Amino acid sequence: MLLTAYLLALLALVLAWPVPVALSRARWTARSPFAAMVLWQSIALAGGLSMIGAMLVYGLEPLGGNLLAALRRATTIVLGNESPGELHFWHLFALCTAALLTVHLVFTLLLTYARIVTQRRRHRELLALLSSPSGALDRTWVINHPAPVAYCLPGGSRSVTVLSDGLMEALAPEELAAVVRHERAHLTQRHHLLLWAFEAWRAALPWLPTSRLARAAVNSLVEMLADDVARRSTPDAVLVRAIALVAVGSADDGERPPGAHGGSLPATMDNGEDVDVAARLSRLLTPRPPLGRTATAGVLTASALLLAVPTVLLLAPGIA
Amino acid sequence: MASLGELERSVMDLLWSAPEASTANDLRDRLASNEGPDHAGKDLAVTTVLTVLSRLEKKGLVERERGTRPHRYRAVSTREEHTATLMHEALGTAPDREAVLARFIGAVSDAEAATLRRLLARG
């Protein structure tokens, strides 16, 4: 039991710091954003599982030779109102921390979800009053604003893509088509769910390097995944031009005097957490081949193993 | 008969373009004289306009002037202010950054913008 607790704690530590730091610096992720995304999810899940698992196993150690037996004994103690004499202060402390951490994670996940849903509903209400459907494009709304802006608003069957007048003016038809394909890819691949989960993870444990790095990496990876969908039917050069025009256009817009055209936008990155445009462009300008089949299989196997290790450590001794 | 959503839109358009607060009766008359493609204002009852106004009030878009009878309504913010709010949320520059709307390009730094300008000039 103690050995299991130490192994889980070690895994939690490794997944909290060195592994995410190395992965966020790795260059192969731009070549296979999908595999990288799977790996990040596995790191987050395995990290949380081993963190909570380590404290649970340590706390229950005096009650049984394995987790399942100890849990059965703990249930008898709680239900039978017996005195948990075998448990000392540090055991109880670990158990309480594990319980609090679990509640905290679940609660933050739900709270973040509620906040996002509220804000999205409000956004949709305003949008309905301020934009009009695009004549040519299905489920696409056009809003009257001079800055070139494109984004998608997820909401099941009511998902829409929003484009600004400024964007329609700045881009040629094929560039515009690339932007719309990019936004639709976000919606069809349900990227908002990933962004939500990793935003909640960061909000719950902001002091943990892994949660901050993971969110930044996931933000960047979903853009690359959407770019890759647009690239299937658009030459890279067209997409590059669209990205550059939109980025420069929104920066120029911020330099105009405020109020000159109904609300200008600050163009500076406020906290460096935004998606790295340079990384996105460089993989389009100097494309490198995607990871080979063996390498991709290796990354996916590693992801599966990462999840399997804490699960086996927790459950196997009890089942065997 | 236009849907409530379309009516909300028409009413907000009128309030945004009106120089001063309007009564439900004014709004109904102006909606009825609208020559829009959907004829949103045809056969419109004042009670319907009041329903629309109270929905908009609940959403925080419209406010009622106190102490006047009949009530006079005005838009809380201008159309431009609301558009700016939406754009800030979309670009992730809003103070509350949790909308998590995947956007084509977020804000870029000045240095990045300069590099991109060179890139565009080149090709």
Side-chain angles (χ1 to χ4, degrees), chain A residues 4-6 8-10 12 49-59 94 314:
Chain A
T4 310
Y6 293 144
L8 284 169
L10 185 69
L49 193 61
S50 46
M51 215 187 303
I52 292 168
M55 290 186 278
L56 190 67
V57 171
Y58 174 80
L314 282 169

Side-chain angles (χ1 to χ4, degrees), chain A residues 115-116 119-120 122-123 125-131 143-145 149-153 179 182-183 186 195 199 223 241 243-248 251-252 262 264-270 274 276-278 280-281, chain B residues 5 8-10 12-13 16 56 59-61 79-94 96-110 112-114 116-117 119-120 122-123:
Chain A
R115 251 188 228 157
I116 290 173
Q119 200 176 351
R120 236 176 238 158
R122 172 83 188 154
H123 193 101
E125 274 173 11
L126 276 178
L127 194 65
L129 299 172
L130 293 165
S131 65
I143 188 162
N144 186 266
H145 198 276
V149 175
Y151 62 94
C152 59
L153 194 59
V179 172
H182 172 106
E183 293 307 324
H186 282 313
L195 297 177
E199 166 60 25
E223 294 307 327
R241 229 184 122 70
I243 293 174
L245 282 170
V246 172
V248 167
D252 287 347
S264 66
L265 305 162
T268 44
M269 290 221 272
D270 50 356
D274 256 299
D276 187 2
V277 180
R280 227 173 115 190
L281 282 174
Chain B
E8 286 181 13
R9 222 183 130 95
S10 310
M12 283 315 293
D13 283 340
W16 274 325
L56 289 169
K59 291 182 186 175
L61 297 166
R79 192 187 182 97
E80 288 72 25
E81 283 163 352
H82 282 306
T83 308
T85 307
L86 286 189
M87 292 297 99
H88 280 300
E89 283 179 17
L91 282 175
T93 46
D96 189 0
R97 290 164 53 89
E98 286 182 330
V100 195
L101 311 148
R103 57 200 183 272
F104 187 60
I105 288 278
V108 294
S109 68
D110 290 348
E112 274 183 317
L116 293 172
R117 264 186 218 103
L119 181 80
L120 285 170
R122 207 176 54 200

Side-chain angles (χ1 to χ4, degrees), chain A residues 104 108 112 115 197-206 211 215, chain B residues 98:
Chain A
H104 176 62
T108 312
T112 310
R115 251 188 228 157
F198 280 90
E199 166 60 25
W201 178 243
R202 189 203 61 83
L205 309 167
S211 69
R215 194 183 72 136
Chain B
E98 286 182 330

